[in-house]
Amino acid sequence: MIIDMRRRPVLVVNFGSQYVQLIARRVRELGVYSEIVHWKDILRTVEEKDPYCLIFSGGPASVYEEGAPLPDGRVYDLGIPILGICYGLQVIVHQLGGKVERAKKQEYGRAKLKVVSKDPLFEGIPAEFDVWMSHADRVSTLPEGFERIAVSENSPYAVVKRGKIYGVQFHPEVTHTAYGREILSNFLFRVCKAEKNWDMGNFVEEKVEEIRERVGRAKVVAAISGGVDSTVASLLVYRAVGDRLHCFFIDHGLLRLGEREEVERNLKKLGLPFKVVEAGDEFLRRLKGVEDPEEKRRIVGNTFVEVFEREAGKIKGAEFLLQGTLYPDVVESAGIAGSAKIKTHHNVGGLPERMKLKLLEPLRELFKDEVRKIGKILGVPEEILKRHPFPGPGLAVRIVGEVTRENLEILRRADRIFIEELKRSGLYDKVWQAFAVLLPIRTVGVMGDARTYEKVIALRAVESVDGMTADWFRFPHDFLDRVMRRIVSEVEGVNRVVYDISSKPPSTIEWE
Ligand code: XMP
């Protein structure tokens, strides 16, 4: 039996808002499957997917400007409920004959919303509450047939509607909006009569069945890193096809202290069939004398592919390559505007064609927090679920300059102390990612009355939601002091520790 994995989705129409993915996640948290669609593709996608409704996202443009993104106007004749958020509201008003203009007083941040007309959208919610606004334009004239549901001090038409077409000037998807979740819930279930069709437990069962059907009697090969995504993806496939899954853990010699042993222990505990491939010498040999960050990334990436190909090539009958692609990667590669390449991200790209493999991507529809939920269902230990992200090229991009055995040793020991102290003080789960970086300079110090001339360790710790933007973590000074003392006294070759207080942008999280 082939299970039909198609679900009626809610389509989140992307007009370039930074909150697009957040809106889609909020809908899923309410139990309804959602997908993100480019504003140019609405009509085609509606026909294909029969969505419950459309949610127009915000966006940076002004509707009255030349070249502003505006969908095909036939979308309003389809009889599908629409919720326009911020720019999305302005799009609806503008296209249906109302007026949007630059506001004299712009609203950024908290504003008070007053509901002036009883409506299912606000059922069970007080008549006055705080919402989060972020707009320079506002609606000044309503199109025919529209009514006003709520106002704020600077937005006379903060919430409007005609039939099942709604527009809200504020952002219900952000947590700063009180009752944001309830408003979205009212829209989905009271206005659109959506049915709950998204549940992680069901997802696991359906996905396992789907993989089983697709793979048949063939074999699957996978590169496993010990992180959340590859572990969860492998477990799903293991459930479906058992020992016909072959995982490879490639030790590229650029791992943290004790990481390989830890990963081995975890994978064994989970019962996953895997083989450790020791390739550290090969990677280090190729990295010798190389200082350029992109060159280092390229070398690690290419070597990884070669090693994997060599090992996985020995598995006769392998037809599939497992990859832990997540939904944000899918959305990004079909993004609104072409974005500049900042860094070459390392993965096993290019392999499928070379090895003539078909791709298996069981996490393709999922956000990171959903992968964690599934991991929990599959019995993945907290330790893995809460692990900070670790870049594919490993410590190679955390040693500024040449990667040598000596540098790796110094960095590993300093990093271990930092992470140990984070865990000891209960801060590990509060930061999104933390690590040490070894700098290619030496500075003067004094230890036990003697002059030293040694290396510098930079500590990096950030808060972030998705790694796209980040801010440095505000540690208590005592904590930083403790880490500094331990590093300079326990790690030979280091006499100075600095803390990186750069945000992303303008910096990136990793130093290379
Ligand atoms: P940046 O340094 O670009 O990093 O701000 C954003 C996030 O991505 C991780 N990162 C990588 N992950 N392969 C990966 O799988 C890579 O090549 C890579 N480079 C950076 C980084 O650790 C951070 O979480």
Side-chain angles (χ1 to χ4, degrees):
M1 177 189 60
I2 294 191
I3 290 203
D4 185 0
M5 288 291 287
R6 278 173 308 176
R7 298 178 162 81
R8 257 188 105 178
V10 165
L11 289 184
V12 179
V13 180
N14 190 358
F15 288 103
S17 163
Q18 52 176 333
Y19 295 135
V20 176
Q21 297 197 13
L22 189 58
I23 301 171
R25 272 170 51 202
R26 291 283 181 257
V27 171
R28 290 188 186 190
E29 280 164 18
L30 290 165
V32 187
Y33 180 58
S34 64
E35 284 186 19
I36 297 168
V37 57
H38 193 290
W39 61 270
K40 284 184 181 161
D41 297 333
I42 302 182
L43 292 184
R44 186 173 55 75
T45 317
V46 165
E47 192 168 330
E48 189 186 319
K49 311 225 166 180
D50 184 28
Y52 284 118
C53 60
L54 303 173
I55 300 184
F56 286 6
S57 83
S62 283
V63 284
Y64 46 77
E65 273 169 10
E66 185 73 26
L70 294 173
D72 189 316
R74 283 174 290 178
V75 66
Y76 305 106
D77 305 326
L78 298 172
I80 297 181
I82 302 176
L83 174 66
I85 296 175
C86 196
Y87 177 81
L89 149 79
Q90 295 164 9
V91 165
I92 295 171
V93 166
H94 177 76
Q95 288 194 297
L96 292 178
K99 200 159 181 193
V100 174
E101 50 188 27
R102 177 126 307 214
K104 280 196 200 74
K105 274 198 186 158
Q106 302 167 354
E107 285 177 304
Y108 292 101
R110 210 172 293 284
K112 215 157 279 304
L113 190 84
K114 254 191 216 157
V115 180
V116 294
S117 168
K118 196 170 150 51
D119 192 272
L121 196 65
F122 293 106
E123 189 125 344
I125 297 172
E128 239 188 88
F129 58 96
D130 283 345
V131 296
W132 193 257
M133 296 272 198
S134 177
H135 63 111
D137 292 342
R138 69 174 194 185
V139 175
S140 55
T141 313
L142 277 189
E144 234 181 82
F146 270 77
E147 56 175 315
R148 173 205 327 244
I149 307 291
V151 299
S152 75
E153 196 183 336
N154 294 315
S155 295
Y157 301 106
V159 179
V160 301
K161 81 168 215 182
R162 184 190 81 191
K164 292 190 174 191
I165 299 181
Y166 283 81
V168 298
Q169 183 59 72
F170 63 91
H171 289 273
E173 70 276 22
V174 305
T175 50
H176 303 286
T177 290
Y179 308 103
R181 186 185 159 88
E182 287 77 3
I183 293 166
L184 286 175
S185 170
N186 281 343
F187 178 69
L188 294 180
F189 301 114
R190 291 182 196 275
V191 177
C192 308
K193 311 280 185 235
E195 279 169 27
K196 293 202 176 188
N197 60 4
W198 190 242
D199 167 278
M200 290 299 109
N202 291 346
F203 178 89
V204 169
E205 278 167 36
E206 291 170 21
K207 208 47 164 183
V208 166
E209 192 59 35
E210 188 199 62
I211 295 168
R212 203 173 279 147
E213 289 288 338
R214 176 142 185 252
V215 172
R217 301 299 306 162
K219 289 180 186 160
V220 183
V221 290
I224 196 161
S225 70
V228 185
D229 305 343
S230 63
T231 306
V232 170
S234 301
L235 277 173
L236 278 175
V237 175
Y238 184 61
R239 275 214 179 177
V241 307
D243 287 341
R244 274 178 291 126
L245 168 68
H246 297 261
C247 300
F248 298 89
F249 175 67
I250 296 174
D251 180 352
H252 52 18
L254 305 163
L255 298 170
R256 289 164 289 193
L257 198 64
E259 183 164 7
R260 171 169 151 186
E261 293 75 14
E262 190 186 312
V263 171
E264 279 187 78
R265 236 185 357 260
N266 281 330
L267 296 182
K268 269 194 199 128
K269 239 191 280 175
L270 288 167
L272 276 174
F274 69 99
K275 177 179 175 191
V276 177
V277 183
E278 165 78 64
D281 290 345
E282 198 168 338
F283 280 84
L284 277 186
R285 208 173 334 110
R286 297 204 196 171
L287 284 167
K288 199 169 159 55
V290 181
E291 292 184 357
D292 178 68
E294 277 300 283
E295 186 62 20
K296 285 200 265 181
R297 281 177 173 271
R298 248 191 318 275
I299 292 173
V300 176
N302 291 344
T303 314
F304 192 92
V305 167
E306 273 175 44
V307 173
F308 182 78
E309 196 175 16
R310 198 163 63 213
E311 286 299 321
K314 295 177 192 161
I315 306 295
K316 299 286 166 257
E319 282 181 27
F320 292 89
L321 172 70
L322 176 62
Q323 288 207 316
T325 317
L326 304 190
Y327 194 50
D329 309 325
V330 178
V331 176
E332 233 153 70
S333 55
I336 281 283
S339 56
K341 182 167 120 187
I342 311 296
K343 296 175 186 180
T344 306
H345 270 220
H346 140 76
N347 53 31
V348 278
L351 259 184
E353 297 88 61
R354 275 171 59 174
M355 293 181 71
K356 302 197 170 41
L357 296 172
K358 287 173 259 186
L359 266 187
L360 202 56
E361 299 178 305
L363 311 179
R364 227 184 125 75
E365 298 125 298
L366 303 181
F367 289 109
K368 190 90 177 180
D369 44 345
E370 294 175 319
V371 175
R372 291 209 175 92
K373 277 187 201 151
I374 288 181
K376 217 167 173 164
I377 294 173
L378 293 170
V380 177
E382 287 279 297
E383 196 185 323
I384 299 184
L385 297 180
K386 290 187 169 169
R387 216 164 91 127
H388 292 171
F390 186 65
L395 301 183
V397 292
R398 293 181 179 173
I399 291 173
V400 179
E402 191 188 356
V403 182
T404 62
R405 282 183 203 280
E406 186 206 352
N407 282 342
L408 278 167
E409 182 65 24
I410 293 176
L411 179 58
R412 281 196 181 111
R413 294 179 57 203
D415 191 74
R416 160 60 67 93
I417 292 172
F418 187 27
I419 301 300
E420 231 171 56
E421 288 297 330
L422 277 168
K423 288 191 171 157
R424 187 173 296 163
S425 55
L427 289 168
Y428 184 85
D429 295 340
K430 297 213 163 69
V431 302
W432 196 74
Q433 192 172 12
F435 53 89
V437 179
L438 182 66
L439 306 190
I441 49 166
R442 290 196 292 166
T443 68
V444 173
V446 52
M447 274 185 198
D449 294 332
R451 177 186 191 270
T452 59
Y453 186 52
E454 291 179 329
K455 294 191 167 140
V456 181
I457 283 285
L459 302 177
R460 181 81 164 133
V462 295
E463 291 181 299
S464 176
V465 183
D466 50 12
M468 302 296 289
T469 58
D471 198 7
W472 58 284
F473 189 79
R474 270 62 170 176
F475 282 120
H477 291 173
D478 287 354
F479 174 83
L480 289 171
D481 187 61
R482 201 159 53 244
V483 177
M484 177 278 291
R485 274 172 206 288
R486 278 198 61 193
I487 290 178
V488 289
S489 62
E490 294 174 37
V491 183
E492 211 174 307
V494 175
N495 68 353
R496 192 176 293 271
V497 175
V498 296
Y499 185 47
D500 179 356
I501 55 160
S502 320
S503 59
K504 172 184 181 176
S507 306
T508 53
I509 297 176
E510 304 286 348
W511 277 42
E512 289 196 334

